[in-house]
Amino acid sequence: MAVSQLVGAKIHRREDPRLITGHGRYTDDLTRTGLVHLAVVRSPHAHARIKSIGVEAAKKSPGVLGVFTAQDFKDIIAGPATHPVAPVFAPDKKVNPPRYPIAREEVCYQGEPVAVVVAEQRYQAADAAQLVDVEYDPLPAVMEIEEAMKPGSPKAHTDQPDNIAWDATYVPWEATEEAFKTADVVVKQRILQRRLSPNAIESRVVMAEYDPFDKRLTMWMSTQNPHWIRLFVSGALGMGEHSVRVVSHDVGGGFGSKISPYPEDYLVPAVSKLVERPVKWTETRTEAVQNAYAGRGQIYDVEASAKKDGTLLGMRVTQLLDCGAYIGTFGAFQTCACLLAGGAYKWKAISSRSIGVLTNKITTDPYRGAGRPEATHVAERMIDLLAVELKMDPVELRRKNFPAKEEFPFTQNFGLVMDSGDYNASLDKALKLFGYDQMRREQAEARKQGKLVGIGLSTWIEICGLGPGAVTGPATGGVVLSESAQVKVHPAGGVSIYVGTHNHGQGNDTTHAQIAADALGVPIEQIDIRHGDTNEGPGFGYGTYGSRTLAVGGVAINRACAKVVEKGKKVAAHILEAAEEDIVFDQGKFHVKGAPDKSKAFGEVAFAAYGQLPAGLEQGLEAVAYFEPPNFVWPFGAHICAVEVDAETGNAQITKYVAVDDCGNIINPMIVDGQLHGGIAQSIGQALYEEMVYDQDGQLRSATFLDYTIPSMNEIPNIQLDRTITPSPTNELGVKGIGEAGTIAATAAIINAICDAVSPLGIKHVDMPATPDRLWNQIKEARK
Amino acid sequence: MKHKVAVTINGRKHEHEVEARLLLVHYLRDVVGLTGTHIGCDTSQCGACTIHVDGKAIKSCTMFAVQADGRNLTTIEGLAKEGKLHPIQQAFWDEHGLQCGYCTPGFIMAAAYLLEQNPNPTEDEIRRGLEGNLCRCTGYVNIVKSVQSAAKVMGGASTTAGRSAVTAGGE
Ligand code: FES
Ligand code: FES
């Protein structure tokens, strides 16, 4: 086993030189000879019947090559299979409206495509799109989850029986009867998770070129998972996967919004087929806020019970999930909140149920954390509400109910096996870093002066590293979320590694190379990491999401490297004239056992691998590995936040933020910290500022960065990080995931701190986003 | 109707006939082919399109190409001189000031102007000075650090006044 040299080191990112000099290759930076531009005509109504579409004026507009509507795509795009829905709970699925990339008779959300215009130039396409004359018959829009659930509510789709997408009970209410009957305290709370707009700073871009002679399609796009897109698009266009190539170079952020297929992923290549020119579509920010698959959008009704001494007993959770107009391809993943709502604690019993509801809004789908931030928020809020009732310090209540370090692997209430953890260790470290006791004393002093200051905790856990086939296979409809890697060692010793994951800021080009450099014992400069091109590498790649890239993809790289080393041993045995079992591989050298100077360097073995070999030994030094993890991985940590609420303005100021997180072994600490900073910032956005606001007719009123306020530099406070390291037993690298951790953890710490701050006024709960006007009103009400 | 623009970009002269309504950022990207300047919004909020016009940082989506006629522009591609990174570029690399990198050219151009105006900014001044640029990946923590470290290298005395840099642990 090579001594680890690069794993764990702060290696500067290899992808940066091009990005800091303006030489990145984001999709909109690319062009093709003869490129034309596409603009989408979208429904201004949330719900309406299309009466007619007048295209003549648009067709005559300068530079226009064509205007196309649903009619024109009938024979080109097979629908509605274009927007498959992962059958997470097929038996419980009630209403699953078919979705086409372009509306036929009825539009069901504001922004749904009704026509596309293609023109020689960007501005010409935009001009002509304005001239498409669509006549609508407006229909009542269903905007609120609970309204939509009522019998007799208007329907999000007129041809469907009702608005209930699914109604799934995981554990029935009877199972928690005992836990509530024997309880000393019971708390109840409704908790809101507003709709969020992901807003990667690079919006989506799709460019496609169909070659009518070779019948090949190439697509360049901003996506988190090129292979999935190839699978969907090739199927919809009736082409084999072998004739479709999806290329994705640099991607300007994803956060979940670039996983599932979008209408334009089908429309752009289809139009390229129709006009026989390469076609590009670049989404505007307004289009992105309106049409990127939204996050969250849920209501939780929760009850929790405990004994006087703080022993947790039961929890009952109902999740009402706003699916939007169509169930998202991976939208039902967010129901995982129902299985994780118990958080880091031991409960006697938990019951949960999820109801998916259709509304006339854009679809919801996984957004950074997807279900896990919601679960954390539920668990951590309920713990704090119980602590208030029990008059216990929230730290003590948490500690009392953690599984002990020795109890891992720990099977939680829903049968999921938490692989490793030491929840007290991260909490202890965080308390110390925060100066908890001192801060509590200062809080007591400040309160005497009438200040609204609060402290909030979030001892979060996460399930990630999707995922074991037994769970992910049935959930996706057959595709197991394993991961692939191919390692090719060229004759002169250079190494090309192709991975099925992708990179949209996570720094994988660097961390993956660190893993391979150690596994092969070659200098990192000799290794090239490649991804984002379906014509390269293994047959399928599963993509980057769900904090899986390292814990699944990284392990696949390690295994492919191990296979290469095994083959290398055979070759080395031949050139060293020794028996294969006597060959030792160490630090990039193959030597004969007991004779370290009888050795061959990695490069020499690589060269020999392409030369003359004994009978039965094939030339070449390369390998493919697929890694299907036996379990999920379970990062955890403790976040502590201090806030001061200004009673006069309602402004909540974060005055201190401390996070101690544990993601198992670490490949590159610099990158881990960066992921946490970004995740926490996104969570601050959700806790304090962000919300997609619609009016009752379904018009999005927060459709630009003016109204949908993602935090700027001024809104993000000082964040202090530290970590503990509890290796994962799930994979040989001992790694977990960190991409979503900050987002999963932070909202609960912030909102708990705000609730603590305003508790002297008798306020028990504050919902997100805790904007100044909301808080100000709540304070005003409380003071009445 | 087309209008003539003659501009100097990164020291090189360019002349084109363009529509009056063509945004400067589209001119740079689609006409001149300098795609390092990005577009992140349509309401002048994100700063991804920041360049220098006659030495001043501006959002190139708020200007028409014709308004740049006769002016001297610097884009991200023109910041590194003779193959040597500008200290701010180097600092973004060293301090992990970028993740997806999409906002980065805008931040670097805005920071370059900030440090020119104020070589020795406090953390609060950095935050106020760059609030017109949005990043969705980094939480800004390492961007602030990058600007601080560039200021140090470029000769402004370092300062820890205002909010202090964030500490990372456990290395
Ligand atoms: S693109 Fe210019 S400010 Fe956003
Ligand atoms: S690094 Fe991705 S938006 Fe800033």
Side-chain angles (χ1 to χ4, degrees), chain A residues 13 26 123 127 714 719 723, chain B residues 21 26 99-100 131 166 169:
Chain A
R13 299 202 323 170
Y26 302 93
Y123 288 18
D127 285 346
N714 270 332
I719 300 167
R723 61 175 66 92
Chain B
R21 62 172 175 169
H26 281 137
Q99 289 181 25
C100 80
E131 71 183 349
V166 168

Side-chain angles (χ1 to χ4, degrees), chain A residues 451-469:
Chain A
K451 285 193 182 154
L452 299 178
V453 293
I455 295 169
L457 286 100
S458 169
T459 43
W460 67 280
I461 63 163
E462 169 192 358
I463 184 175
C464 70
L466 312 185

Side-chain angles (χ1 to χ4, degrees), chain A residues 438-753:
Chain A
Q438 175 63 21
M439 289 291 285
R440 280 287 183 208
R441 282 194 290 276
E442 287 175 19
Q443 179 189 30
E445 277 309 305
R447 276 188 175 164
K448 279 187 206 148
Q449 294 157 32
K451 285 193 182 154
L452 299 178
V453 293
I455 295 169
L457 286 100
S458 169
T459 43
W460 67 280
I461 63 163
E462 169 192 358
I463 184 175
C464 70
L466 312 185
V471 184
T472 57
T476 63
V479 179
V480 156
L481 299 181
S482 76
E483 197 48 86
S484 61
Q486 179 177 26
V487 175
K488 291 187 195 171
V489 184
H490 309 296
V495 182
S496 300
I497 299 183
Y498 304 85
V499 294
T501 55
H502 198 10
N503 186 358
H504 36 286
Q506 295 87 342
N508 309 334
D509 293 9
T510 307
T511 48
H512 285 167
Q514 288 178 258
I515 294 170
D518 278 5
L520 299 174
V522 302
I524 197 166
E525 296 74 24
Q526 223 166 296
I527 299 169
D528 187 30
I529 302 289
R530 304 191 57 91
H531 49 79
D533 183 343
T534 59
N535 266 21
E536 296 183 341
F540 197 75
Y542 299 77
T544 284
Y545 44 82
S547 302
R548 68 188 304 278
T549 303
L550 174 60
V552 191
V555 179
I557 293 170
N558 202 45
R559 293 202 172 177
C561 289
K563 285 187 181 179
V564 159
V565 168
E566 281 316 301
K567 171 75 185 286
K569 281 183 181 170
K570 290 193 192 354
V571 177
H574 165 61
I575 50 178
L576 287 165
E577 295 174 339
E580 191 193 327
E581 33 315 338
D582 288 340
I583 300 294
V584 178
F585 177 71
D586 184 28
Q587 302 280 307
K589 281 203 172 103
F590 296 86
H591 67 80
V592 180
K593 202 189 284 168
D597 44 329
K598 233 189 138 195
S599 75
K600 290 286 173 190
F602 190 83
E604 291 176 284
V605 171
F607 192 74
Y610 292 90
Q612 205 171 17
L613 296 172
L617 193 55
E618 283 176 24
Q619 274 74 22
L621 191 55
E622 55 185 89
V624 172
Y626 280 75
F627 174 60
E628 186 203 323
N631 187 7
F632 296 97
V633 289
W634 297 77
F636 60 91
H639 288 213
I640 314 180
C641 173
V643 297
E644 176 158 3
V645 175
D646 183 334
E648 301 314 311
T649 63
N651 187 50
Q653 181 80 35
I654 298 176
T655 51
K656 191 166 192 168
Y657 199 98
V658 160
V660 175
D661 298 298
D662 192 320
C663 59
N665 287 340
I666 284 181
I667 308 296
N668 187 326
M670 176 188 85
I671 286 177
V672 167
D673 290 345
Q675 288 296 310
L676 282 163
H677 293 149
I680 292 168
Q682 234 157 350
S683 209
I684 291 172
Q686 176 178 12
L688 299 180
Y689 309 107
E690 295 178 32
E691 179 182 5
M692 291 178 78
V693 180
Y694 290 86
D695 70 13
Q696 63 197 27
D697 298 326
Q699 298 290 313
L700 180 62
R701 291 169 61 188
S702 53
T704 70
F705 278 159
L706 275 167
D707 318 289
Y708 189 89
T709 43
I710 72 171
S712 83
M713 260 192 184
N714 270 332
E715 283 82 45
I716 303 300
N718 198 340
I719 300 167
Q720 274 179 283
L721 300 181
D722 205 339
R723 61 175 66 92
T724 58
I725 294 178
T726 309
S728 167
T730 307
N731 59 69
E732 57 266 32
L733 295 175
V735 296
K736 297 185 176 180
I738 201 66
E740 298 164 289
T743 309
I744 290 168
T747 61
I750 298 161
I751 294 297
N752 278 343

Side-chain angles (χ1 to χ4, degrees), chain A residues 42-320:
Chain A
R42 300 178 185 280
S43 167
H45 300 283
H47 199 190
R49 205 167 320 225
I50 300 169
K51 278 168 77 177
S52 64
I53 305 178
V55 297
E56 289 317 311
K59 274 189 173 162
K60 284 190 217 117
S61 186
V64 170
L65 279 84
V67 181
F68 306 104
T69 63
Q71 276 300 79
D72 304 297
F73 294 108
K74 264 220 196 103
D75 301 326
I76 298 184
I77 309 176
T82 42
H83 288 90
V85 169
V88 178
F89 353 84
D92 303 296
K93 200 156 289 159
K94 297 206 152 60
V95 178
N96 181 12
R99 181 175 183 196
Y100 299 85
I102 192 157
R104 301 180 147 196
E105 286 112 34
E106 192 174 319
V107 285
C108 296
Y109 65 90
Q110 186 193 31
E112 185 157 11
V114 292
V116 294
V117 175
V118 59
E120 295 286 348
Q121 292 169 16
R122 253 182 229 271
Y123 288 18
Q124 290 174 335
D127 285 346
Q130 302 283 330
L131 298 175
V132 175
D133 184 18
V134 189
E135 236 190 299
Y136 297 94
D137 234 345
L139 293 164
V142 192
M143 300 308 293
E144 298 302 330
I145 298 175
E146 288 177 293
E147 288 301 312
M149 289 169 66
K150 286 186 185 148
S153 153
K155 291 182 289 184
H157 295 258
T158 52
D159 60 352
Q160 299 293 322
D162 57 34
N163 298 317
I164 306 299
W166 65 73
D167 184 347
T169 298
Y170 302 89
V171 172
W173 260 226
E174 297 82 69
T176 35
E177 234 161 64
E178 185 67 23
F180 279 89
K181 241 195 267 158
T182 55
D184 297 317
V185 291
V186 175
V187 291
K188 278 189 193 188
Q189 187 59 52
R190 167 163 281 206
I191 296 172
L192 304 181
Q193 289 275 344
R194 316 266 182 186
R195 261 181 180 253
L196 303 178
S197 174
N199 281 312
I201 303 295
E202 181 207 28
S203 57
R204 288 187 321 107
V205 184
V206 181
M207 181 166 80
E209 181 166 17
Y210 181 74
D211 177 336
F213 303 103
D214 290 345
K215 303 206 175 353
R216 282 198 193 125
L217 170 69
T218 308
M219 290 173 72
W220 296 262
M221 61 189 290
S222 181
T223 175
Q224 294 176 226
N225 36 220
H227 291 86
W228 282 99
I229 298 296
R230 181 186 66 176
L231 179 69
F232 295 136
V233 171
S234 61
L237 297 191
M239 301 174 74
E241 280 162 292
H242 57 286
S243 43
V244 177
R245 176 183 184 190
V246 177
V247 184
S248 181
H249 297 300
D250 289 316
V251 175
F255 314 114
S257 69
K258 295 173 182 172
I259 301 174
S260 294
Y262 282 85
E264 298 82 5
D265 301 355
Y266 303 101
L267 296 172
V268 176
V271 168
S272 176
K273 223 170 165 178
L274 285 167
V275 301
E276 298 192 354
R277 296 272 292 271
V279 179
K280 188 199 270 186
W281 167 75
T282 303
E283 185 180 52
T284 65
R285 177 57 49 191
T286 304
E287 282 183 296
V289 182
Q290 195 177 61
N291 298 304
Y293 298 140
R296 322 287 190 256
Q298 298 153 32
I299 297 173
Y300 288 85
D301 283 317
V302 196
E303 290 178 73
S305 69
K307 281 203 197 124
K308 259 206 292 290
D309 68 353
T311 307
L312 297 178
L313 293 175
M315 187 190 261
R316 288 171 168 167
V317 188
T318 307
Q319 174 195 50
L320 308 178

Side-chain angles (χ1 to χ4, degrees), chain A residues 201, chain B residues 99-101 103 135-138:
Chain A
I201 303 295
Chain B
Q99 289 181 25
C100 80
C103 70
C135 173
R136 194 60 155 166
C137 298
T138 62

